[in-house]
Amino acid sequence: MNPSPNRLISLSQARAIVDSLGPLASEETPLTEALGRITAEPVCAAGNCPTVDSSLKDGYAVRSDDVAAATADQPVSLVITGTVVAGAATSPTVGPGTAVRIMTGATLPAGADAVLAAEFATERDRQVEVRANAHAGRNVLRAGSDVSAGEIVTTAGTVLGPGHLGLFAAAGITRLSVVRRPRIMVAAIGSELVEPGQPIGPGQVAASNLVTIRGELQRIGLETDGVLLTDQLDRLESVFAAILSSHDVLLTCGGVLDGDKDLTLRAMDRLGVQRLFHRVRIGPGKGIAMGRIGTAVIFNLPGGPPSNHVAFRQLALPGIRKLAGYPAPFTGHKTALLTETVHGTNGWTQFIYGRMLAQKDDGSRHVQPLTELPRLQAMAVADCLIELPEEIDIRTAGAPVTIWLF
């Protein structure tokens, strides 16, 4: 059972709610457009690869019994009856005392059960002098040895890389069932905000959260829409209604506290959004809220850049990953040793921007807290977040900590 949506909850409780999200519906995509997509179901091979027994070497297709006694001192002579190359429709049959010259990838001729590598043979006057044996199956790639028809080659929830696409092509697969990518809108809210790249007047602030979040999502292959909104409740309500009718995810930045101009959640309430939680015991980022309406998921993020970014990385991004089909959204954490002492707040999960250092000779990883840098500079140079759990209010230099890699 979910906790009361208006009660301050722990990070573990919030993660459990996020983890309950299911993937979006599947869709078909051509193999050539599947890079980076996530499989919605197991993928089965449509055919064998290779389709026939073939040669792994340039050399001679032989009967293993004919060359069993061949050595450098006592070579065996075989009559060459022809040549077979990769892609040839037909080839000579290998009979007793004969061999067929064969190229890498060519179909193993009937009668042959091995391929002798070219370096162990000398050819003269349509005969080949064999100086080594070749047991049955030597240098032969059996039909279906890479992939067999009907074999499951990839499970559901696999992020497809170039190697997967090559495997699928070899297995005769031309189309795939993948999880549909979520349609995402990022909305920055505040009358003081200006579009990034525009002149910033006195008292104004560039909507940097908009750029940061869209960049984070673009990095994992998810395109987003973006909009900048002022503090007008009726306008927020109407714009949010339109967004939620056309997008799977709405990420809002700002307006989640209790000030007169914090109107985001009031607009959500007007729309009938089911609030799953509001405020989590994390620092920074406690103001985050999560809700649902219809099939759409909403993450209302705080407006301060570190609070916005931490809340996004720790809860909103895993939620989007779950919708996109990743089976384990809370990944990317490791253990490292602190280079200096850090302080947290008892009863709260604290996050600190950090930078990984070169691995030591003993294999240990060390992380440097970026506590001395201004907040935006720390965000820019960090490659991880250091997590201090609720029960810890201090971690001394040299102590192990959990880090979340970017």
Side-chain angles (χ1 to χ4, degrees):
M1 179 180 294
N2 287 347
S4 168
N6 294 313
R7 181 167 64 86
L8 192 64
I9 63 173
S10 68
L11 178 58
S12 61
Q13 288 174 305
R15 282 175 173 162
I17 294 171
V18 170
D19 202 28
S20 69
L21 293 172
L24 296 174
S26 63
E27 63 183 9
E28 276 204 349
T29 188
L31 175 64
T32 53
E33 299 176 11
L35 183 65
R37 302 299 297 269
I38 300 172
T39 52
E41 58 188 36
V43 179
C44 296
N48 291 332
C49 179
T51 56
V52 295
D53 293 349
S54 58
S55 178
L56 288 168
K57 296 266 190 173
D58 288 347
Y60 298 88
V62 298
R63 290 160 35 105
S64 57
D65 288 345
D66 286 349
V67 299
T71 65
D73 295 330
Q74 294 184 309
V76 172
S77 289
L78 302 174
V79 176
I80 300 172
T81 60
T83 299
V84 59
V85 297
T90 60
S91 67
T93 298
V94 176
T98 69
V100 168
R101 187 186 298 108
I102 192 168
M103 304 302 158
T104 301
T107 300
L108 189 71
D113 63 356
V115 172
L116 178 77
E119 58 262 33
F120 299 111
T122 302
E123 188 175 327
R124 293 191 186 92
D125 300 327
R126 302 302 299 170
Q127 288 195 328
V128 59
E129 187 177 83
V130 177
R131 301 188 305 276
N133 63 20
H135 60 76
R138 180 74 172 177
N139 297 322
V140 175
L141 184 63
R142 294 297 182 190
S145 57
D146 281 332
V147 180
S148 298
E151 176 187 354
I152 295 177
V153 291
T154 302
T155 59
T158 300
V159 183
L160 299 178
H164 293 106
L165 304 191
L167 172 63
F168 297 161
I173 297 163
T174 59
R175 297 187 67 83
L176 296 164
S177 177
V178 296
V179 179
R180 182 172 62 78
R181 283 175 167 152
R183 298 180 295 264
I184 305 169
M185 174 68 80
V186 185
I189 300 151
S191 298
E192 76 282 8
L193 299 178
V194 296
E195 291 279 359
Q198 296 300 311
I200 303 172
Q204 293 183 318
V205 180
S208 61
N209 293 331
L210 198 62
V211 177
T212 302
I213 290 180
R214 297 185 74 182
E216 289 273 12
L217 293 168
Q218 186 176 15
R219 180 160 60 177
I220 62 170
L222 296 177
E223 296 301 321
T224 64
D225 298 314
V227 63
L228 188 61
L229 300 170
T230 56
D231 298 312
Q232 296 175 311
L233 183 56
D234 291 343
R235 172 68 174 158
L236 292 177
E237 181 183 356
S238 64
V239 172
F240 289 162
I243 292 170
L244 293 170
S245 68
S246 59
H247 290 73
D248 302 297
V249 180
L250 170 59
L251 299 169
T252 68
C253 305
V256 296
L257 299 178
D258 299 320
D260 293 342
K261 293 294 186 179
D262 292 318
L263 306 176
T264 302
L265 295 183
R266 288 168 61 183
M268 294 293 160
D269 290 340
R270 279 193 182 188
L271 291 169
V273 171
Q274 176 194 6
R275 196 178 300 177
L276 301 178
F277 62 75
H278 178 210
R279 298 188 179 174
V280 180
R281 292 197 302 273
I282 57 174
K286 74 173 183 180
I288 182 173
M290 176 183 177
R292 296 205 73 159
I293 184 168
T295 60
V297 177
I298 304 104
F299 288 97
N300 305 116
L301 307 173
S307 296
N308 181 275
H309 190 232
V310 169
F312 171 79
R313 291 284 320 185
Q314 290 298 311
L315 292 170
L317 180 57
I320 292 170
R321 287 169 57 87
K322 197 70 185 289
L323 292 173
Y326 292 85
F330 293 100
T331 58
H333 57 283
K334 297 184 181 295
T335 300
L337 305 179
L338 286 167
T339 61
E340 58 190 72
T341 298
V342 293
H343 297 270
T345 302
N346 193 38
W348 288 69
T349 302
Q350 194 74 29
F351 290 96
I352 300 164
Y353 285 100
R355 184 81 183 171
M356 294 296 297
L357 303 182
Q359 189 165 295
K360 301 292 185 180
D361 292 340
D362 61 3
S364 62
R365 290 186 295 262
H366 290 71
V367 59
Q368 177 187 3
L370 302 177
T371 52
E372 300 302 317
L373 289 179
R375 58 180 192 167
L376 294 180
Q377 292 186 33
M379 288 174 60
V381 302
D383 57 14
C384 65
L385 284 170
I386 301 166
E387 178 180 340
L388 297 184
E390 287 193 357
E391 65 275 12
I392 301 296
D393 57 8
I394 187 172
R395 270 278 197 252
T396 56
V401 288
T402 297
I403 57 169
W404 294 85
L405 296 172
F406 294 164

